[in-house]
Amino acid sequence: MKTETETLLPEVRRIARAAGAAIMEVYARDFDVEVKDDKSPLTEADLAAHRVIAAGLTALEPALPVLSEESGVPDYAERTQWQSYWLVDPLDGTKEFIKRNGEFTVNIALISDHEPILGVVYAPARELEYYGTSNDGAWKIAADGKPGRISVGAGDGPARIVGSRSHRGASLDAFLENVGDYEMVPMGSSLKFCVVAEGGADIYPRLGPTNEWDTAAAHAVLTAAGGDVVQLDGQSLRYNAKEPLLNPYFLAIGDTCRDWARYVEA
C-alpha cells in the first residue's frame, strides 16, 4: 500500500475539495446546529461532506473500509482485520465553522499497519490545502494555487506553541508554565498540526481528549514534513490498535531536538 500513495493522492485531494465545496454551500447561508450524544455540535455541513467523501473513497478503492466520524464505528473484532483503511473527519472544527472564523478543515487519511501514510487537510474557507505521504514529503497549496514543499523548523528563541481556540485546560496551562518563555499561536481544528508542519510553531501539545479521526490526516502531513506525533511515554501515536477510538494525550512535535515531555506534569 505504501507504494500506491502517490497514485491515490490526486484523487483524494479532489475528493477533499469536493467535500469542501459542499461545506461552503452550507457556510454561505443560515444553518441549524444539533448536539450529538457526546455533546459535540453537528451541522448539515458535516453530513454533506461525509456523503461526498464516503462515496468518493468507495469508488476510488472499493476494497478499503471507510471509517468516518459521521458513520457508525464497526466492532473492534471487525476492525482488527483491517490492514489498510480510510480514516475521515469530514468537518473538523465544527465549533469554528459555527463561529464562522474559517478555521475548519476536511480531513482524509489512509492508514496502513496502524500508521497514517497519506493525509489531506483542506481548509475551504481559506482556500488552503496541506497534504503529505510517507514517500514524497509534505506540501502546501495556498489561494494562489501553487504547491510548495513544507518542512518543520527548529526555533532558537522562545518556544512557539500552537494551541486550540476552543479547548484549553489546566494541563495545558501547567505545560506552558513549565516551558517558561514561549509564544502562543492560537489556531482551530487540525490546522494546528499544519502550522507545526510548515515551521510556524515548534509544538502542539494536546493534553485533552481527541478521537483518532481528529488527528490522522494532519498527523500524516506532520510526519511527512519531518515532525512526529508521540504519546507522553514517547511512543508514536497509533491507529486502530485498541478498541476505543480515543487518543491518549500527545505531543505533535516539529522541533524534535527538544525534550518536550519533561514539561508535562505527571
Side-chain angles (χ1 to χ4, degrees):
M1 180 58 66
K2 288 187 177 181
T3 60
E4 299 176 4
T5 53
E6 280 66 47
T7 302
L8 295 170
L9 182 60
E11 186 62 15
V12 177
R13 292 178 55 215
R14 186 199 66 76
I15 293 168
R17 287 181 172 266
I23 289 170
M24 293 307 291
E25 289 181 8
V26 179
Y27 194 63
R29 55 176 170 79
D30 293 335
F31 52 84
D32 295 327
V33 180
E34 301 177 19
V35 179
K36 296 191 286 188
D37 292 342
D38 64 359
K39 308 303 182 184
S40 63
L42 175 71
T43 73
E44 58 187 293
D46 297 77
L47 300 176
H50 164 74
R51 288 191 291 268
V52 170
I53 294 169
L57 294 179
T58 300
L60 177 62
E61 284 287 334
L64 288 183
V66 178
L67 177 54
S68 166
E69 179 179 9
E70 307 309 337
S71 64
V73 177
D75 290 340
Y76 186 55
E78 178 182 344
R79 289 190 283 120
T80 58
Q81 306 304 309
W82 297 355
Q83 181 178 1
S84 299
Y85 68 101
W86 300 107
L87 185 53
V88 174
D89 190 346
L91 175 50
D92 185 46
T94 302
K95 291 181 180 178
E96 317 305 332
F97 178 84
I98 294 168
K99 294 175 185 176
R100 297 184 186 275
N101 68 10
E103 294 177 1
F104 51 87
T105 55
V106 176
N107 299 264
I108 304 175
L110 177 61
I111 309 296
S112 181
D113 294 327
H114 309 291
E115 298 179 7
I117 62 170
L118 176 154
V120 176
V121 177
Y122 178 52
R126 295 188 166 196
E127 297 183 57
L128 187 60
E129 180 184 359
Y130 296 88
Y131 58 93
T133 72
S134 54
N135 293 333
D136 195 39
W139 300 77
K140 173 184 177 180
I141 299 180
D144 62 9
K146 297 178 181 179
R149 189 178 289 273
I150 59 173
S151 62
V152 299
D156 55 3
R160 300 169 301 159
I161 301 173
V162 63
S164 174
R165 290 195 188 276
S166 300
H167 305 277
R168 180 139 177 187
S171 296
L172 177 58
D173 289 335
F175 179 88
L176 297 175
E177 184 175 345
N178 292 337
V179 167
D181 195 14
Y182 70 89
E183 297 176 358
M184 194 69 181
V185 183
M187 185 60 65
S189 74
S190 59
L191 289 172
K192 293 184 288 292
F193 288 84
C194 299
V195 171
V196 178
E198 65 180 332
D202 301 316
I203 186 171
Y204 162 41
R206 181 61 190 207
L207 306 176
T210 57
N211 289 297
E212 293 186 6
W213 48 68
D214 295 318
T215 59
H219 181 168
V221 172
L222 178 53
T223 54
D228 202 0
V229 182
V230 299
Q231 304 174 87
L232 301 188
D233 62 4
Q235 299 297 309
S236 294
L237 196 65
R238 288 164 58 81
Y239 294 84
N240 199 34
K242 59 189 187 319
E243 184 169 4
L245 292 176
L246 283 172
N247 287 319
Y249 293 176
F250 63 82
L251 305 173
I253 300 169
D255 180 2
T256 57
C257 297
R258 194 164 178 172
D259 179 15
W260 297 101
R262 67 190 178 97
Y263 301 123
V264 181
E265 294 192 344

